[in-house]
Amino acid sequence: MSDVVGLPVRVRVVGRPGCGRRTVTRVLRGAGVAVVAPTAAADLDVHVFAETLKPEDRRALTRSSRPVVAVLNKADLTGFGGAGPVAAATERCRLLGESVGVPVYPLAGLAAAAAVDDRILDDEVLGALRTLTADPADLGSTDRFVTGEHKLPDAVRQRLLVDLDLFGIAHAVLALRNGAGRAEVSAALRAASALDGLLGGLEAAAAPVRYERLAGLGSATDEAVAARMAAAIEVVRAVGMIVDADVSAEAHLRRAVAWQRYSRGPVSRLHACCGADIARGSLRLWERAGGVPEAVEAEP
């Protein structure tokens, strides 16, 4: 069983050409996600798009044969004003997600890549960014940054754009002005990029995959029952449900009864199975705490 539990959830990055699939792949691998080739067998799809969902994106999302998460890449280009482009992109993702019934997350891909790849924030890049803290350049547009008069060599400016783009440059410079070192700049870029929101979404989407693996084993050992219960709890929590974490005998029994009733209600097959596994695991814990199964079974 440990072999099955330890297998990573395999992720395939797909989407239309030009939307940043390679960047998103690099980001996810840098964050520790098991990304496989687009043609390889996978457990979960990450569908990358830019600006908005086109008809072909919608078809791919609604017809996917496996769990799928959509990523609005280049979220830093969504628009300025208000709380900033990523905040605007987050709201756009919410609306798009409602329209297709698939979770959609924003990502500022280049900033995220710089946050997870130590090779990007090297001495040359950090030195150039520190120069910009003391001698600001025009970050109003790519052309103005490249062609404006500045002490940074053209090649260095081009590299900053390739590696960070204007959004990443601005956030890195702000962090440095506040006294940040390399690690703090990386953390600032990670936060600005919305990477952690996407990773959380992938964890939620992967929960049913991990559960189905365990549910298919069919073992009734204490270890198997506990593992299926833990995986089932991940699934229901991923959709916002609360599972009582109290470890008292009374709480175990209360949880078992509640989730057994839930499993018999008008819920999907997946959630019915999860409810039953949470109930089964809770009863096993209750028995260990001194509960008597016969007494429960005898009650009307």
Side-chain angles (χ1 to χ4, degrees), residues 113-149:
V116 299
D117 188 344
D118 293 337
R119 296 169 298 179
I120 293 176
L121 293 177
D122 60 17
D123 290 342
E124 179 183 59
V125 167
L126 281 175
L129 293 169
R130 288 193 178 97
T131 297
L132 292 175
T133 65
D135 184 11
D138 189 341
L139 298 177
S141 72
T142 298
D143 287 342
R144 282 150 59 182
F145 180 67
V146 171
T147 62
E149 291 187 9

Side-chain angles (χ1 to χ4, degrees), residues 146-168:
V146 171
T147 62
E149 291 187 9
H150 199 275
K151 65 176 67 175
L152 284 180
D154 291 345
V156 174
R157 280 186 265 181
Q158 289 288 354
R159 184 186 172 192
L160 289 177
L161 287 173
V162 168
D163 287 345
L164 297 172
D165 210 349
L166 296 175
F167 179 81

